[in-house]
Amino acid sequence: MIKKLGSVLLCSALLGSLAAGCSNSNGGNNNSDTAAGNEKAANATTAPATEEALKEIPLPITTESMNLTYWRANDAKLTASLGNFGEMASYKKKEELTGIKVNFTHPPLGQQKDQFNLLVATSELPDLIYYNWADAVGGPEKMIEDGRIIRLNELIDQYAPNLKSIMESDEDVRKQISLDDGTIYMFPLLKLDALKLNATSGLIMRQDWLDKLGLKVPTNIDEWHTALKAFKEKDPNGNGKADELPFTGNWGPGNLTKLHDFTPAFGVIGGMQMKQGKLAFGPIEPEYKAFLETMATWYKEGLIDPEIITNDGKAFDYKITNNLAGSYYGGVFSGMGKYFNLMKDDPTFNVTGVSWPISPDGKGYSTFNMNQKVLSYGEAISSSADKDKLKYIVQWMDFNYSPQGTDLFNFGIEGESFVKEGDKVKFSDIILNNPKGLTYDQALASYALSIMDGPINQDSRYLDALLTTQGQRDANAAWMKGNSDLTLPPIRLTADEARTNTSIMSQVNTYLNETMTAIISGKTPVSEFDKMVQTIKDMGIDQAIQIHQAAYDRYMKK
């Protein structure tokens, strides 16, 4: 939906729960400033009624000099070779095509939350802000109410034909991109091919160990137990020592919640979930007791690495590359591709992705919603943006969702970073075997957004082009079999609901994490489960469930 023009044209140019603490997030701005911001935002979002809605984005969008300011967090993959997003090949090409120059500002790596809060407390904001809006205090609703960002519905309808077309053709996108009152506030990271793109992590097991012991890839929790027992007792690493760690994990949180990856095998998950069409809290359901009993048995039998609680990246790498770890949870890149590369001199090393274990009702449930198409990351327009520039800004944003923009921001520069082979895309050696020694993700980050996050529709062909081993491709296919029926859609809590929910869940989660860890590790008997349930109820879990039920009901009515 792009049209080249040589002259200036008249019409040119979202999961989680919200954070609590929705007090005045404009950081002490006086009431007149807030009121002015609200008025400016309200006035800015109405597109001129005399202009016909664009059907495609003209290129260039403008031939007059135009500069925009843009704030977003930086990314370590990009900073391995570039200073800011404006130096990315796709953004430089976009400037050439659209005629609009964008000046990026980035907070120091790892400080984006604090710096964002300082940013939105100021009276003068950059034109564009890219952020994980689930992390904004009070959420995007509060940002709009306080006049920090603006409503985009009318502007999208008039000047964003590509995003508008996506929303009109996909009901899931329309519901997930909108606030409960129908407001659209961002151009998001989209995953229209959601199942494939979300199925990039799951349970992983040493295929070579299974082959050596004559075992098949496990399909249910009993078969997992059989495989892990064999890993423990039959010396699959062949060093004559009983040093195998049948199941381990990375980045230990100080408790055993990593084992929640096995809860779906019992028909529950370790948090809020759906059960028979209603909201429930998995850890107080009877099935969670069966999970605790099984994990306690595994722990007692030495099937779970006791250091799963504290493993850091270095310790985890050591256990895999020294043939100690038999299985773990990981991703196709960080949990498979990385180790295929590190272990390339060991011809026997092989790992495989394992489908979600089949539960008693015959379904292999996932722990997260694999059908979510709109993420909470997105690009919003601030109330400080010049009203006369809004139509150009929106067209500039919409370009990313056009066919040309999709290719550019997913793959980079055709003929340089990628080539097309029929319907498929193949990355060049600049990406896969970078002559400057960059890893594939660092190299791709210098060309395109797809390896990081939006604002784009992430094209699943980028994933196919990076899955260079059959094991990775098989893992993606196996994890795609996961059923998301236990998980919640991307519901939204009101500010009041978020405050109440956070107050309840902060103490519930602390208590749950401590108690489930004590039970599994054998410090507390499983018979204490009923006491645990009652304690969680006394903490107000029923009210938290009601809050999520109300938010779910609102989502379903959109």
Side-chain angles (χ1 to χ4, degrees):
M1 294 187 178
I2 297 179
K3 180 179 178 183
K4 285 198 174 263
L5 291 180
S7 59
V8 180
L9 293 184
L10 182 64
C11 297
S12 68
L14 121 60
L15 255 264
S17 295
L18 298 175
C22 301
S23 59
N24 186 4
S25 65
N26 58 1
N29 286 353
N30 61 40
N31 291 336
S32 62
D33 284 343
T34 303
N38 284 330
E39 181 179 0
K40 184 175 182 181
N43 292 337
T45 57
T46 303
T50 57
E51 289 188 323
E52 183 179 351
L54 290 180
K55 291 182 171 56
E56 51 190 14
I57 299 297
L59 292 179
I61 291 172
T62 177
T63 56
E64 297 180 359
S65 177
M66 183 173 292
N67 289 270
L68 303 177
T69 53
Y70 196 125
W71 186 98
R72 69 163 292 163
N74 219 329
D75 191 290
K77 294 185 287 293
L78 181 137
T79 58
S81 62
L82 304 177
N84 64 71
F85 274 74
E87 298 174 13
M88 185 189 298
S90 54
Y91 273 116
K92 290 197 289 187
K93 185 65 174 179
K94 183 177 181 179
E95 178 182 340
E96 175 188 325
L97 292 169
T98 63
I100 296 175
K101 180 175 179 58
V102 175
N103 299 305
F104 285 88
T105 299
H106 305 298
L109 285 170
Q111 296 182 30
Q112 56 264 31
K113 286 187 181 181
D114 290 339
Q115 293 298 313
F116 174 82
N117 291 334
L118 292 173
L119 176 75
V120 296
T122 63
S123 58
E124 287 300 320
L125 299 169
D127 298 310
L128 293 156
I129 301 173
Y130 184 88
Y131 194 57
N132 178 7
W133 297 97
D135 287 340
V137 176
E141 294 90 344
K142 185 66 172 173
M143 294 294 103
I144 294 172
E145 178 186 338
D146 287 351
R148 306 289 82 197
I149 61 175
I150 68 174
R151 169 185 165 97
L152 299 177
N153 298 55
E154 294 77 17
L155 291 165
I156 289 172
D157 188 60
Q158 195 78 8
Y159 303 115
N162 296 291
L163 183 58
K164 179 182 177 181
S165 176
I166 292 171
M167 291 190 297
E168 289 178 342
S169 62
D170 194 314
E171 181 66 9
D172 290 335
V173 172
R174 186 195 66 76
K175 291 176 69 172
Q176 293 176 19
I177 201 174
S178 305
L179 302 180
D180 287 343
D181 65 358
T183 295
I184 301 171
Y185 65 95
M186 68 170 179
F187 280 63
L189 170 58
L190 292 177
K191 295 186 176 185
L192 297 187
D193 192 358
L195 185 58
K196 181 177 182 64
L197 288 167
N198 288 328
T200 55
S201 64
L203 293 164
I204 297 171
M205 183 171 274
R206 288 290 295 265
Q207 180 67 59
D208 51 330
W209 288 13
L210 291 171
D211 294 342
K212 183 176 182 179
L213 300 176
L215 297 171
K216 295 182 179 180
V217 174
T219 63
N220 57 42
I221 205 68
D222 290 335
E223 292 177 5
W224 263 92
H225 184 245
T226 298
L228 296 184
K229 283 275 284 185
F231 287 178
K232 180 67 176 177
E233 298 171 352
K234 297 184 178 181
D235 192 29
N237 66 12
N239 67 358
K241 302 176 183 179
D243 56 357
E244 287 84 358
L245 303 167
F247 186 82
T248 189
N250 199 0
W251 300 112
N255 53 54
L256 290 173
T257 52
K258 288 279 185 179
L259 298 177
H260 275 160
D261 291 321
F262 287 106
T263 54
F266 301 86
V268 292
I269 55 179
M272 291 292 175
Q273 67 168 79
M274 301 304 300
K275 185 174 185 179
Q276 299 176 349
K278 296 291 184 181
L279 265 292
F281 187 61
I284 64 172
E285 296 296 317
E287 295 88 346
Y288 192 81
K289 182 177 183 180
F291 157 75
L292 292 175
E293 289 172 338
T294 298
M295 293 300 107
T297 298
W298 287 14
Y299 196 93
K300 184 177 181 180
E301 292 176 347
L303 307 186
I304 298 169
D305 175 10
E307 293 179 351
I308 194 174
I309 292 176
T310 57
N311 278 339
D312 59 14
K314 185 177 181 180
F316 186 70
D317 287 349
Y318 177 87
K319 290 173 180 180
I320 294 179
T321 57
N322 283 273
N323 289 306
L324 300 175
S327 59
Y328 52 92
Y329 186 96
V332 285
F333 300 120
S334 62
M336 297 186 76
K338 174 181 179 179
Y339 299 112
F340 281 134
N341 183 55
L342 290 174
M343 299 293 285
K344 59 187 176 184
D345 294 331
D346 181 352
T348 65
F349 178 85
N350 191 19
V351 290
T352 188
V354 184
S355 298
W356 294 96
I358 301 299
S359 70
D361 68 4
K363 297 178 181 179
Y365 294 108
S366 62
T367 57
F368 57 93
N369 188 343
M370 298 174 67
N371 299 315
Q372 185 168 342
K373 297 179 179 180
V374 181
L375 279 72
S376 56
Y377 291 85
E379 185 174 72
I381 300 177
S382 82
S383 57
S384 295
D386 188 336
K387 179 179 178 182
D388 293 333
K389 290 184 179 180
L390 288 180
K391 66 179 183 180
Y392 304 111
I393 294 173
V394 171
Q395 290 175 68
W396 183 87
M397 297 163 78
D398 189 60
F399 170 83
N400 288 26
Y401 302 88
S402 68
Q404 185 176 4
T406 293
D407 281 357
L408 181 62
F409 282 96
N410 274 280
F411 315 123
I413 308 299
E414 188 168 6
E416 186 174 335
S417 59
F418 78 100
V419 294
K420 289 185 176 179
E421 297 180 346
D423 293 333
K424 296 182 179 180
V425 167
K426 182 179 180 181
F427 286 120
S428 69
D429 280 346
I430 287 179
I431 306 300
L432 299 179
N433 297 289
N434 187 266
K436 296 181 180 179
L438 297 175
T439 60
Y440 73 89
D441 52 344
Q442 292 170 341
L444 184 53
S446 70
Y447 277 90
L449 289 171
S450 54
I451 196 63
M452 296 174 286
D453 47 64
I456 54 170
N457 172 34
Q458 198 175 56
D459 192 317
S460 60
R461 291 177 298 169
Y462 114 90
L463 180 62
D464 288 331
L466 289 179
L467 298 181
T468 56
T469 69
Q470 190 60 46
Q472 290 173 298
R473 292 188 286 271
D474 291 344
N476 182 229
W479 296 333
M480 284 176 66
K481 298 175 183 178
N483 184 304
S484 298
D485 286 353
L486 294 181
T487 65
L488 277 61
I491 61 175
R492 308 198 63 83
L493 307 187
T494 67
D496 287 342
E497 288 173 338
R499 279 192 294 270
T500 301
N501 182 69
T502 299
S503 176
I504 295 170
M505 295 309 300
S506 60
Q507 59 177 335
V508 166
N509 286 330
T510 298
Y511 172 74
L512 171 64
N513 296 346
E514 292 173 352
T515 306
M516 64 87 69
T517 298
I519 291 174
I520 292 173
S521 62
K523 296 177 181 178
T524 299
V526 178
S527 59
E528 292 288 297
F529 175 75
D530 291 341
K531 178 182 177 182
M532 183 190 83
V533 170
Q534 187 58 53
T535 301
I536 291 175
K537 284 180 174 290
D538 292 342
M539 290 177 173
I541 193 64
D542 288 338
Q543 185 179 5
I545 293 172
Q546 291 170 4
I547 286 171
H548 283 78
Q549 182 69 55
Y552 174 80
D553 292 341
R554 290 194 301 270
Y555 175 85
M556 297 304 292
K557 291 178 181 178
K558 284 186 183 180

